[in-house]
Amino acid sequence: MAVLVLGGAGYIGSHTVYELIDKDEETIVIDNLQTGHLEAVHPKAKFYKGDIRDKEFLDNVFKKEKIDSVIHFAANSVVPESMTDPLKYYDNNLYGTMILLKSMVENGIDKIVFSSTAATYGEPENIPIKETDKTEPINTYGETKLAMEKMFKWVSNAHNIKYVSLRYFNACGAHKSGKIGEAHNPETHLIPLILQVPNNLRENIKIFGDDYDTKDGTCIRDYIHVTDLAQAHILAIEYLKKNNKSDIFNLGNGIGFSVKEIIETARKITGHPIPAIVSPKRPGDPAQLIASSEKAEKILGWKQIYANPEDIIESAWRWHKNHPLGFKN
Ligand code: UFG
């Protein structure tokens, strides 16, 4: 029986496919290649180009292949874009998931793990953030992911489907092989933007605000390596097979690093001075986001391998240094 990975040509999806294949799992990938890259799909995975909003297409894949579980990454995830084009997010993330669920119900597929986000919490009440903390998203992206979680809850209530929702904090780093890594266009994330400086693609990095109520005035985030995230999906599938129970888990390192600390670490790793310029705050940035991943550690048996920013940035640099233009080179 195979695992179907929706969005398996994207950043976190492609890394999860690499880990599945490493474990000799039969893996099928669906991606519409809107933001994903064909080059990121593991050569041993079977690939179908298509969109999760196309029910006939999904039905055909479920009928043709022997699939017993689904991992769902196929979504848009750029926070600022979600604020200027909210309907794109409702369409792809929410409507897309609704079509997927319809197809799963009709085809008798009953296990799914899907990507959620720290953005479901909004401004946190407590640090570290627990799964039981209040969820009040402050952007459309987080709102659509929270709505997806609720859709899963009610559909699972009515039909024989069990789900695990994984709320990622700041995904980063690249696969140890150096073959795949982060490649967004346009890039909005801190670490790849910083690494564009030593790659001579930008002159400096902008620090969005240095008067936050944090140790050095810059925002604090919980940076979690993409391979550690990938492993959590495999554990979540095992959990569903063993326990037949739905649940929600945070995935982070539980340690916060400031924007300035990340830039300093990148200077050390790359040996480049990486000039930084303090710029205005970006709207909608919470000062601090740090996960409690105790629940995932205890229930899923999840262990992070990349616990410090040096290792994370080193792995990202290995990828970006050799692929400054992402999969275009
Ligand atoms: N930052 C800068 N300069 C930059 C880019 C980012 O100072 O050029 C800062 C941001 O203000 C933020 C931190 O670096 O404080 C991290 O920013 P990212 O854009 O890398 O990541 P976010 O924390 O904004 O977003 C991440 C995920 C989202 C998810 C969100 C949850 O990428 O998908 O966490 O809050 F929704």
Side-chain angles (χ1 to χ4, degrees), residues 77-79 117-119 139 141 168-171 188-191 193 202 205-209 212 219-221 223 259 282 285-286 289:
S77 63
V78 180
V79 173
T117 168
N139 52 58
Y141 169 62
Y168 317 145
F169 282 63
N170 288 59
T188 60
H189 294 114
L190 181 65
I191 294 176
L193 283 176
R202 74 173 49 236
I205 182 75
K206 290 193 171 76
I207 297 177
F208 295 147
Y212 283 97
C219 285
I220 290 181
R221 293 288 180 273
Y223 294 89
V259 173
R282 196 171 63 175
D285 264 345
L289 290 173

PDB file of all heavy atoms in Angstrom, residues 77-79 117-119 139 141 168-171 188-191 193 202 205-209 212 219-221 223 259 282 285-286 289, ligand 1:
ATOM      1  N   SER A  77       1.087  29.423   1.219  1.00  0.00           N
ATOM      2  CA  SER A  77       1.543  29.666   2.587  1.00  0.00           C
ATOM      3  C   SER A  77       2.334  30.972   2.778  1.00  0.00           C
ATOM      4  O   SER A  77       3.135  31.070   3.693  1.00  0.00           O
ATOM      5  CB  SER A  77       2.397  28.485   3.053  1.00  0.00           C
ATOM      6  OG  SER A  77       3.536  28.393   2.230  1.00  0.00           O
ATOM      7  N   VAL A  78       2.087  31.937   1.916  1.00  0.00           N
ATOM      8  CA  VAL A  78       2.811  33.212   2.067  1.00  0.00           C
ATOM      9  C   VAL A  78       1.904  34.206   2.798  1.00  0.00           C
ATOM     10  O   VAL A  78       0.888  34.648   2.260  1.00  0.00           O
ATOM     11  CB  VAL A  78       3.247  33.767   0.694  1.00  0.00           C
ATOM     12  CG1 VAL A  78       3.987  35.093   0.849  1.00  0.00           C
ATOM     13  CG2 VAL A  78       4.117  32.744  -0.034  1.00  0.00           C
ATOM     14  N   VAL A  79       2.282  34.524   4.032  1.00  0.00           N
ATOM     15  CA  VAL A  79       1.402  35.332   4.882  1.00  0.00           C
ATOM     16  C   VAL A  79       1.026  36.681   4.232  1.00  0.00           C
ATOM     17  O   VAL A  79      -0.169  36.992   4.128  1.00  0.00           O
ATOM     18  CB  VAL A  79       2.014  35.510   6.294  1.00  0.00           C
ATOM     19  CG1 VAL A  79       1.196  36.487   7.117  1.00  0.00           C
ATOM     20  CG2 VAL A  79       2.115  34.155   6.993  1.00  0.00           C
ATOM     21  N   THR A 117      -0.134  25.242  11.075  1.00  0.00           N
ATOM     22  CA  THR A 117       0.885  26.271  11.279  1.00  0.00           C
ATOM     23  C   THR A 117       0.765  26.962  12.635  1.00  0.00           C
ATOM     24  O   THR A 117      -0.330  27.028  13.204  1.00  0.00           O
ATOM     25  CB  THR A 117       0.759  27.338  10.164  1.00  0.00           C
ATOM     26  OG1 THR A 117       1.550  28.469  10.507  1.00  0.00           O
ATOM     27  CG2 THR A 117      -0.670  27.826   9.992  1.00  0.00           C
ATOM     28  N   ALA A 118       1.882  27.524  13.063  1.00  0.00           N
ATOM     29  CA  ALA A 118       1.892  28.372  14.255  1.00  0.00           C
ATOM     30  C   ALA A 118       0.994  29.601  14.045  1.00  0.00           C
ATOM     31  O   ALA A 118       0.552  30.214  15.023  1.00  0.00           O
ATOM     32  CB  ALA A 118       3.313  28.844  14.535  1.00  0.00           C
ATOM     33  N   ALA A 119       0.746  29.943  12.780  1.00  0.00           N
ATOM     34  CA  ALA A 119      -0.102  31.106  12.486  1.00  0.00           C
ATOM     35  C   ALA A 119      -1.553  30.888  12.935  1.00  0.00           C
ATOM     36  O   ALA A 119      -2.342  31.838  12.941  1.00  0.00           O
ATOM     37  CB  ALA A 119      -0.046  31.433  11.004  1.00  0.00           C
ATOM     38  N   ASN A 139      -3.900  36.507  10.426  1.00  0.00           N
ATOM     39  CA  ASN A 139      -3.792  36.640   8.968  1.00  0.00           C
ATOM     40  C   ASN A 139      -4.632  35.554   8.294  1.00  0.00           C
ATOM     41  O   ASN A 139      -5.026  34.567   8.921  1.00  0.00           O
ATOM     42  CB  ASN A 139      -2.324  36.589   8.505  1.00  0.00           C
ATOM     43  CG  ASN A 139      -1.593  35.374   9.044  1.00  0.00           C
ATOM     44  OD1 ASN A 139      -1.998  34.234   8.799  1.00  0.00           O
ATOM     45  ND2 ASN A 139      -0.524  35.616   9.783  1.00  0.00           N
ATOM     46  N   TYR A 141      -3.895  33.437   6.017  1.00  0.00           N
ATOM     47  CA  TYR A 141      -3.239  32.120   5.924  1.00  0.00           C
ATOM     48  C   TYR A 141      -3.565  31.276   7.163  1.00  0.00           C
ATOM     49  O   TYR A 141      -4.072  30.155   7.047  1.00  0.00           O
ATOM     50  CB  TYR A 141      -1.719  32.320   5.762  1.00  0.00           C
ATOM     51  CG  TYR A 141      -0.938  31.045   5.930  1.00  0.00           C
ATOM     52  CD1 TYR A 141      -1.129  29.968   5.070  1.00  0.00           C
ATOM     53  CD2 TYR A 141      -0.019  30.910   6.968  1.00  0.00           C
ATOM     54  CE1 TYR A 141      -0.419  28.794   5.244  1.00  0.00           C
ATOM     55  CE2 TYR A 141       0.700  29.744   7.137  1.00  0.00           C
ATOM     56  CZ  TYR A 141       0.485  28.681   6.280  1.00  0.00           C
ATOM     57  OH  TYR A 141       1.175  27.519   6.452  1.00  0.00           O
ATOM     58  N   TYR A 168       3.347  23.581  12.273  1.00  0.00           N
ATOM     59  CA  TYR A 168       4.780  23.879  12.169  1.00  0.00           C
ATOM     60  C   TYR A 168       5.071  25.274  12.677  1.00  0.00           C
ATOM     61  O   TYR A 168       4.317  26.204  12.412  1.00  0.00           O
ATOM     62  CB  TYR A 168       5.290  23.879  10.724  1.00  0.00           C
ATOM     63  CG  TYR A 168       4.821  22.782   9.813  1.00  0.00           C
ATOM     64  CD1 TYR A 168       4.609  23.064   8.467  1.00  0.00           C
ATOM     65  CD2 TYR A 168       4.629  21.490  10.258  1.00  0.00           C
ATOM     66  CE1 TYR A 168       4.210  22.083   7.590  1.00  0.00           C
ATOM     67  CE2 TYR A 168       4.229  20.501   9.386  1.00  0.00           C
ATOM     68  CZ  TYR A 168       4.015  20.812   8.054  1.00  0.00           C
ATOM     69  OH  TYR A 168       3.614  19.837   7.179  1.00  0.00           O
ATOM     70  N   PHE A 169       6.233  25.428  13.268  1.00  0.00           N
ATOM     71  CA  PHE A 169       6.751  26.768  13.549  1.00  0.00           C
ATOM     72  C   PHE A 169       7.629  27.157  12.340  1.00  0.00           C
ATOM     73  O   PHE A 169       7.190  26.930  11.227  1.00  0.00           O
ATOM     74  CB  PHE A 169       7.390  26.806  14.943  1.00  0.00           C
ATOM     75  CG  PHE A 169       6.282  26.898  15.996  1.00  0.00           C
ATOM     76  CD1 PHE A 169       5.354  25.862  16.133  1.00  0.00           C
ATOM     77  CD2 PHE A 169       6.113  28.033  16.765  1.00  0.00           C
ATOM     78  CE1 PHE A 169       4.285  25.966  17.031  1.00  0.00           C
ATOM     79  CE2 PHE A 169       5.051  28.138  17.662  1.00  0.00           C
ATOM     80  CZ  PHE A 169       4.147  27.107  17.788  1.00  0.00           C
ATOM     81  N   ASN A 170       8.822  27.732  12.508  1.00  0.00           N
ATOM     82  CA  ASN A 170       9.525  28.231  11.311  1.00  0.00           C
ATOM     83  C   ASN A 170      10.375  27.150  10.634  1.00  0.00           C
ATOM     84  O   ASN A 170      11.486  26.862  11.071  1.00  0.00           O
ATOM     85  CB  ASN A 170      10.377  29.444  11.675  1.00  0.00           C
ATOM     86  CG  ASN A 170       9.513  30.659  11.941  1.00  0.00           C
ATOM     87  OD1 ASN A 170       8.670  30.638  12.829  1.00  0.00           O
ATOM     88  ND2 ASN A 170       9.700  31.701  11.173  1.00  0.00           N
ATOM     89  N   ALA A 171       9.834  26.593   9.560  1.00  0.00           N
ATOM     90  CA  ALA A 171      10.533  25.536   8.820  1.00  0.00           C
ATOM     91  C   ALA A 171      11.768  26.106   8.136  1.00  0.00           C
ATOM     92  O   ALA A 171      11.713  27.197   7.559  1.00  0.00           O
ATOM     93  CB  ALA A 171       9.598  24.954   7.773  1.00  0.00           C
ATOM     94  N   THR A 188      10.425  35.021   0.805  1.00  0.00           N
ATOM     95  CA  THR A 188      10.032  35.955   1.876  1.00  0.00           C
ATOM     96  C   THR A 188      10.625  35.534   3.218  1.00  0.00           C
ATOM     97  O   THR A 188      10.536  36.269   4.191  1.00  0.00           O
ATOM     98  CB  THR A 188       8.490  36.007   2.048  1.00  0.00           C
ATOM     99  OG1 THR A 188       8.035  34.690   2.379  1.00  0.00           O
ATOM    100  CG2 THR A 188       7.792  36.499   0.794  1.00  0.00           C
ATOM    101  N   HIS A 189      11.214  34.341   3.286  1.00  0.00           N
ATOM    102  CA  HIS A 189      11.654  33.820   4.582  1.00  0.00           C
ATOM    103  C   HIS A 189      13.062  34.278   4.951  1.00  0.00           C
ATOM    104  O   HIS A 189      13.927  34.436   4.093  1.00  0.00           O
ATOM    105  CB  HIS A 189      11.588  32.279   4.583  1.00  0.00           C
ATOM    106  CG  HIS A 189      10.182  31.791   4.466  1.00  0.00           C
ATOM    107  ND1 HIS A 189       9.725  31.107   3.377  1.00  0.00           N
ATOM    108  CD2 HIS A 189       9.139  31.927   5.307  1.00  0.00           C
ATOM    109  CE1 HIS A 189       8.445  30.837   3.554  1.00  0.00           C
ATOM    110  NE2 HIS A 189       8.060  31.316   4.724  1.00  0.00           N
ATOM    111  N   LEU A 190      13.256  34.440   6.263  1.00  0.00           N
ATOM    112  CA  LEU A 190      14.475  35.057   6.761  1.00  0.00           C
ATOM    113  C   LEU A 190      15.764  34.347   6.323  1.00  0.00           C
ATOM    114  O   LEU A 190      16.664  34.987   5.760  1.00  0.00           O
ATOM    115  CB  LEU A 190      14.412  35.134   8.305  1.00  0.00           C
ATOM    116  CG  LEU A 190      15.635  35.778   8.951  1.00  0.00           C
ATOM    117  CD1 LEU A 190      15.762  37.234   8.560  1.00  0.00           C
ATOM    118  CD2 LEU A 190      15.580  35.631  10.475  1.00  0.00           C
ATOM    119  N   ILE A 191      15.890  33.045   6.577  1.00  0.00           N
ATOM    120  CA  ILE A 191      17.186  32.383   6.349  1.00  0.00           C
ATOM    121  C   ILE A 191      17.579  32.385   4.861  1.00  0.00           C
ATOM    122  O   ILE A 191      18.690  32.814   4.530  1.00  0.00           O
ATOM    123  CB  ILE A 191      17.218  30.979   7.002  1.00  0.00           C
ATOM    124  CG1 ILE A 191      17.141  31.158   8.531  1.00  0.00           C
ATOM    125  CG2 ILE A 191      18.458  30.184   6.590  1.00  0.00           C
ATOM    126  CD1 ILE A 191      17.062  29.884   9.349  1.00  0.00           C
ATOM    127  N   LEU A 193      16.720  34.468   2.620  1.00  0.00           N
ATOM    128  CA  LEU A 193      17.012  35.861   2.235  1.00  0.00           C
ATOM    129  C   LEU A 193      18.399  36.265   2.733  1.00  0.00           C
ATOM    130  O   LEU A 193      19.165  36.897   2.010  1.00  0.00           O
ATOM    131  CB  LEU A 193      15.947  36.817   2.791  1.00  0.00           C
ATOM    132  CG  LEU A 193      14.611  36.820   2.043  1.00  0.00           C
ATOM    133  CD1 LEU A 193      13.606  37.726   2.748  1.00  0.00           C
ATOM    134  CD2 LEU A 193      14.783  37.273   0.598  1.00  0.00           C
ATOM    135  N   ARG A 202      21.837  39.777  -3.145  1.00  0.00           N
ATOM    136  CA  ARG A 202      21.346  41.014  -2.517  1.00  0.00           C
ATOM    137  C   ARG A 202      22.487  41.601  -1.688  1.00  0.00           C
ATOM    138  O   ARG A 202      23.401  40.865  -1.281  1.00  0.00           O
ATOM    139  CB  ARG A 202      20.084  40.784  -1.700  1.00  0.00           C
ATOM    140  CG  ARG A 202      20.273  40.062  -0.367  1.00  0.00           C
ATOM    141  CD  ARG A 202      18.993  40.014   0.453  1.00  0.00           C
ATOM    142  NE  ARG A 202      17.861  39.550  -0.352  1.00  0.00           N
ATOM    143  CZ  ARG A 202      16.737  40.236  -0.510  1.00  0.00           C
ATOM    144  NH1 ARG A 202      16.558  41.377   0.122  1.00  0.00           N
ATOM    145  NH2 ARG A 202      15.771  39.767  -1.265  1.00  0.00           N
ATOM    146  N   ILE A 205      20.676  42.451   4.369  1.00  0.00           N
ATOM    147  CA  ILE A 205      19.413  41.884   4.859  1.00  0.00           C
ATOM    148  C   ILE A 205      18.728  42.963   5.693  1.00  0.00           C
ATOM    149  O   ILE A 205      19.363  43.672   6.467  1.00  0.00           O
ATOM    150  CB  ILE A 205      19.645  40.577   5.665  1.00  0.00           C
ATOM    151  CG1 ILE A 205      18.313  39.971   6.128  1.00  0.00           C
ATOM    152  CG2 ILE A 205      20.593  40.772   6.846  1.00  0.00           C
ATOM    153  CD1 ILE A 205      17.519  39.290   5.063  1.00  0.00           C
ATOM    154  N   LYS A 206      17.430  43.080   5.518  1.00  0.00           N
ATOM    155  CA  LYS A 206      16.667  44.056   6.301  1.00  0.00           C
ATOM    156  C   LYS A 206      16.188  43.371   7.575  1.00  0.00           C
ATOM    157  O   LYS A 206      15.662  42.259   7.527  1.00  0.00           O
ATOM    158  CB  LYS A 206      15.449  44.533   5.508  1.00  0.00           C
ATOM    159  CG  LYS A 206      15.805  45.408   4.329  1.00  0.00           C
ATOM    160  CD  LYS A 206      14.521  46.075   3.814  1.00  0.00           C
ATOM    161  CE  LYS A 206      14.806  47.133   2.780  1.00  0.00           C
ATOM    162  NZ  LYS A 206      15.156  46.595   1.459  1.00  0.00           N
ATOM    163  N   ILE A 207      16.363  44.069   8.695  1.00  0.00           N
ATOM    164  CA  ILE A 207      15.803  43.561   9.964  1.00  0.00           C
ATOM    165  C   ILE A 207      14.477  44.303  10.160  1.00  0.00           C
ATOM    166  O   ILE A 207      14.474  45.528  10.293  1.00  0.00           O
ATOM    167  CB  ILE A 207      16.757  43.859  11.142  1.00  0.00           C
ATOM    168  CG1 ILE A 207      18.090  43.114  10.944  1.00  0.00           C
ATOM    169  CG2 ILE A 207      16.107  43.506  12.469  1.00  0.00           C
ATOM    170  CD1 ILE A 207      19.137  43.402  12.022  1.00  0.00           C
ATOM    171  N   PHE A 208      13.399  43.553  10.144  1.00  0.00           N
ATOM    172  CA  PHE A 208      12.079  44.192  10.263  1.00  0.00           C
ATOM    173  C   PHE A 208      11.774  44.534  11.726  1.00  0.00           C
ATOM    174  O   PHE A 208      11.080  43.784  12.407  1.00  0.00           O
ATOM    175  CB  PHE A 208      10.992  43.286   9.684  1.00  0.00           C
ATOM    176  CG  PHE A 208      11.119  43.044   8.196  1.00  0.00           C
ATOM    177  CD1 PHE A 208      10.731  41.829   7.631  1.00  0.00           C
ATOM    178  CD2 PHE A 208      11.604  44.027   7.343  1.00  0.00           C
ATOM    179  CE1 PHE A 208      10.826  41.603   6.260  1.00  0.00           C
ATOM    180  CE2 PHE A 208      11.713  43.809   5.975  1.00  0.00           C
ATOM    181  CZ  PHE A 208      11.325  42.590   5.427  1.00  0.00           C
ATOM    182  N   GLY A 209      12.284  45.656  12.181  1.00  0.00           N
ATOM    183  CA  GLY A 209      11.981  46.154  13.534  1.00  0.00           C
ATOM    184  C   GLY A 209      13.002  45.712  14.560  1.00  0.00           C
ATOM    185  O   GLY A 209      13.357  44.526  14.615  1.00  0.00           O
ATOM    186  N   TYR A 212      11.147  45.559  19.392  1.00  0.00           N
ATOM    187  CA  TYR A 212      10.190  44.614  20.005  1.00  0.00           C
ATOM    188  C   TYR A 212      10.613  44.376  21.452  1.00  0.00           C
ATOM    189  O   TYR A 212      11.782  44.573  21.811  1.00  0.00           O
ATOM    190  CB  TYR A 212      10.212  43.271  19.250  1.00  0.00           C
ATOM    191  CG  TYR A 212       9.465  43.299  17.937  1.00  0.00           C
ATOM    192  CD1 TYR A 212      10.147  43.502  16.736  1.00  0.00           C
ATOM    193  CD2 TYR A 212       8.084  43.115  17.898  1.00  0.00           C
ATOM    194  CE1 TYR A 212       9.463  43.519  15.525  1.00  0.00           C
ATOM    195  CE2 TYR A 212       7.405  43.126  16.686  1.00  0.00           C
ATOM    196  CZ  TYR A 212       8.095  43.338  15.504  1.00  0.00           C
ATOM    197  OH  TYR A 212       7.412  43.351  14.314  1.00  0.00           O
ATOM    198  N   CYS A 219      12.561  40.189  16.492  1.00  0.00           N
ATOM    199  CA  CYS A 219      11.570  39.113  16.693  1.00  0.00           C
ATOM    200  C   CYS A 219      12.243  37.776  16.983  1.00  0.00           C
ATOM    201  O   CYS A 219      13.287  37.446  16.395  1.00  0.00           O
ATOM    202  CB  CYS A 219      10.739  38.923  15.437  1.00  0.00           C
ATOM    203  SG  CYS A 219       9.529  40.189  15.187  1.00  0.00           S
ATOM    204  N   ILE A 220      11.596  37.018  17.826  1.00  0.00           N
ATOM    205  CA  ILE A 220      12.104  35.692  18.176  1.00  0.00           C
ATOM    206  C   ILE A 220      11.210  34.620  17.553  1.00  0.00           C
ATOM    207  O   ILE A 220       9.979  34.700  17.638  1.00  0.00           O
ATOM    208  CB  ILE A 220      12.177  35.557  19.704  1.00  0.00           C
ATOM    209  CG1 ILE A 220      13.306  36.484  20.186  1.00  0.00           C
ATOM    210  CG2 ILE A 220      12.414  34.103  20.144  1.00  0.00           C
ATOM    211  CD1 ILE A 220      13.546  36.486  21.651  1.00  0.00           C
ATOM    212  N   ARG A 221      11.859  33.650  16.908  1.00  0.00           N
ATOM    213  CA  ARG A 221      11.131  32.549  16.275  1.00  0.00           C
ATOM    214  C   ARG A 221      11.756  31.210  16.670  1.00  0.00           C
ATOM    215  O   ARG A 221      12.904  31.137  17.067  1.00  0.00           O
ATOM    216  CB  ARG A 221      11.192  32.679  14.741  1.00  0.00           C
ATOM    217  CG  ARG A 221      10.449  33.877  14.185  1.00  0.00           C
ATOM    218  CD  ARG A 221       8.946  33.690  14.274  1.00  0.00           C
ATOM    219  NE  ARG A 221       8.207  34.814  13.741  1.00  0.00           N
ATOM    220  CZ  ARG A 221       7.878  35.900  14.456  1.00  0.00           C
ATOM    221  NH1 ARG A 221       8.245  36.013  15.715  1.00  0.00           N
ATOM    222  NH2 ARG A 221       7.180  36.872  13.899  1.00  0.00           N
ATOM    223  N   TYR A 223      12.981  27.997  15.097  1.00  0.00           N
ATOM    224  CA  TYR A 223      13.403  27.482  13.793  1.00  0.00           C
ATOM    225  C   TYR A 223      13.553  25.966  13.855  1.00  0.00           C
ATOM    226  O   TYR A 223      14.344  25.453  14.642  1.00  0.00           O
ATOM    227  CB  TYR A 223      14.707  28.157  13.358  1.00  0.00           C
ATOM    228  CG  TYR A 223      14.510  29.636  13.110  1.00  0.00           C
ATOM    229  CD1 TYR A 223      14.665  30.563  14.141  1.00  0.00           C
ATOM    230  CD2 TYR A 223      14.097  30.098  11.861  1.00  0.00           C
ATOM    231  CE1 TYR A 223      14.442  31.923  13.930  1.00  0.00           C
ATOM    232  CE2 TYR A 223      13.862  31.448  11.638  1.00  0.00           C
ATOM    233  CZ  TYR A 223      14.044  32.346  12.672  1.00  0.00           C
ATOM    234  OH  TYR A 223      13.807  33.686  12.464  1.00  0.00           O
ATOM    235  N   VAL A 259      16.129  37.544  15.293  1.00  0.00           N
ATOM    236  CA  VAL A 259      16.573  37.809  13.914  1.00  0.00           C
ATOM    237  C   VAL A 259      18.074  38.128  13.940  1.00  0.00           C
ATOM    238  O   VAL A 259      18.843  37.606  13.125  1.00  0.00           O
ATOM    239  CB  VAL A 259      15.760  38.985  13.305  1.00  0.00           C
ATOM    240  CG1 VAL A 259      16.326  39.388  11.948  1.00  0.00           C
ATOM    241  CG2 VAL A 259      14.284  38.595  13.166  1.00  0.00           C
ATOM    242  N   ARG A 282       7.325  44.706  10.005  1.00  0.00           N
ATOM    243  CA  ARG A 282       6.409  44.139   9.014  1.00  0.00           C
ATOM    244  C   ARG A 282       5.068  43.945   9.713  1.00  0.00           C
ATOM    245  O   ARG A 282       5.039  43.375  10.805  1.00  0.00           O
ATOM    246  CB  ARG A 282       6.996  42.795   8.571  1.00  0.00           C
ATOM    247  CG  ARG A 282       6.431  42.217   7.318  1.00  0.00           C
ATOM    248  CD  ARG A 282       7.219  41.012   6.847  1.00  0.00           C
ATOM    249  NE  ARG A 282       7.181  39.894   7.797  1.00  0.00           N
ATOM    250  CZ  ARG A 282       7.714  38.695   7.563  1.00  0.00           C
ATOM    251  NH1 ARG A 282       8.330  38.474   6.413  1.00  0.00           N
ATOM    252  NH2 ARG A 282       7.643  37.727   8.443  1.00  0.00           N
ATOM    253  N   ASP A 285       3.582  40.767  12.449  1.00  0.00           N
ATOM    254  CA  ASP A 285       4.636  39.926  13.017  1.00  0.00           C
ATOM    255  C   ASP A 285       4.530  39.889  14.543  1.00  0.00           C
ATOM    256  O   ASP A 285       4.797  40.875  15.198  1.00  0.00           O
ATOM    257  CB  ASP A 285       6.023  40.505  12.661  1.00  0.00           C
ATOM    258  CG  ASP A 285       6.644  39.870  11.453  1.00  0.00           C
ATOM    259  OD1 ASP A 285       6.166  38.799  11.026  1.00  0.00           O
ATOM    260  OD2 ASP A 285       7.616  40.447  10.925  1.00  0.00           O
ATOM    261  N   PRO A 286       4.168  38.738  15.130  1.00  0.00           N
ATOM    262  CA  PRO A 286       4.205  38.651  16.596  1.00  0.00           C
ATOM    263  C   PRO A 286       5.663  38.750  17.078  1.00  0.00           C
ATOM    264  O   PRO A 286       6.573  38.329  16.362  1.00  0.00           O
ATOM    265  CB  PRO A 286       3.635  37.271  16.902  1.00  0.00           C
ATOM    266  CG  PRO A 286       3.057  36.763  15.629  1.00  0.00           C
ATOM    267  CD  PRO A 286       3.734  37.484  14.514  1.00  0.00           C
ATOM    268  N   LEU A 289       7.475  33.732  18.915  1.00  0.00           N
ATOM    269  CA  LEU A 289       6.729  32.487  18.704  1.00  0.00           C
ATOM    270  C   LEU A 289       7.641  31.327  19.047  1.00  0.00           C
ATOM    271  O   LEU A 289       8.638  31.100  18.358  1.00  0.00           O
ATOM    272  CB  LEU A 289       6.271  32.357  17.240  1.00  0.00           C
ATOM    273  CG  LEU A 289       5.174  33.293  16.733  1.00  0.00           C
ATOM    274  CD1 LEU A 289       4.996  33.133  15.225  1.00  0.00           C
ATOM    275  CD2 LEU A 289       3.845  33.021  17.442  1.00  0.00           C
TER     276      LEU A 289
HETATM  277  N1  UFG B   1      12.480  38.954   8.850  1.00  0.00           N
HETATM  278  C1  UFG B   1      13.359  40.031   8.749  1.00  0.00           C
HETATM  279  N2  UFG B   1      13.824  40.341   7.509  1.00  0.00           N
HETATM  280  C2  UFG B   1      13.488  39.647   6.394  1.00  0.00           C
HETATM  281  C3  UFG B   1      12.585  38.558   6.510  1.00  0.00           C
HETATM  282  C4  UFG B   1      12.101  38.242   7.765  1.00  0.00           C
HETATM  283  O1  UFG B   1      13.697  40.689   9.734  1.00  0.00           O
HETATM  284  O2  UFG B   1      13.951  40.020   5.304  1.00  0.00           O
HETATM  285  C5  UFG B   1      11.976  38.594  10.192  1.00  0.00           C
HETATM  286  C6  UFG B   1      10.482  38.603  10.290  1.00  0.00           C
HETATM  287  O3  UFG B   1      10.019  39.893  10.622  1.00  0.00           O
HETATM  288  C7  UFG B   1      10.243  37.573  11.399  1.00  0.00           C
HETATM  289  C8  UFG B   1      11.398  36.577  11.240  1.00  0.00           C
HETATM  290  O4  UFG B   1      12.371  37.267  10.450  1.00  0.00           O
HETATM  291  O5  UFG B   1      10.367  38.187  12.629  1.00  0.00           O
HETATM  292  C9  UFG B   1      10.984  35.321  10.511  1.00  0.00           C
HETATM  293  O6  UFG B   1      10.306  35.680   9.340  1.00  0.00           O
HETATM  294  P1  UFG B   1       9.887  34.633   8.207  1.00  0.00           P
HETATM  295  O7  UFG B   1       9.213  35.412   7.128  1.00  0.00           O
HETATM  296  O8  UFG B   1      11.052  33.810   7.851  1.00  0.00           O
HETATM  297  O9  UFG B   1       8.862  33.698   8.946  1.00  0.00           O
HETATM  298  P2  UFG B   1       7.507  34.056   9.741  1.00  0.00           P
HETATM  299  O10 UFG B   1       7.817  33.881  11.190  1.00  0.00           O
HETATM  300  O11 UFG B   1       6.931  35.345   9.342  1.00  0.00           O
HETATM  301  O12 UFG B   1       6.536  32.987   9.141  1.00  0.00           O
HETATM  302  C10 UFG B   1       6.597  31.652   9.468  1.00  0.00           C
HETATM  303  C11 UFG B   1       6.113  30.794   8.307  1.00  0.00           C
HETATM  304  C12 UFG B   1       4.666  31.064   8.016  1.00  0.00           C
HETATM  305  C13 UFG B   1       3.869  30.876   9.269  1.00  0.00           C
HETATM  306  C14 UFG B   1       4.438  31.729  10.370  1.00  0.00           C
HETATM  307  C15 UFG B   1       3.737  31.478  11.657  1.00  0.00           C
HETATM  308  O13 UFG B   1       6.884  31.045   7.170  1.00  0.00           O
HETATM  309  O14 UFG B   1       4.217  30.160   7.033  1.00  0.00           O
HETATM  310  O15 UFG B   1       5.795  31.424  10.567  1.00  0.00           O
HETATM  311  O16 UFG B   1       3.763  32.633  12.401  1.00  0.00           O
HETATM  312  F1  UFG B   1       2.603  31.244   9.061  1.00  0.00           F
END
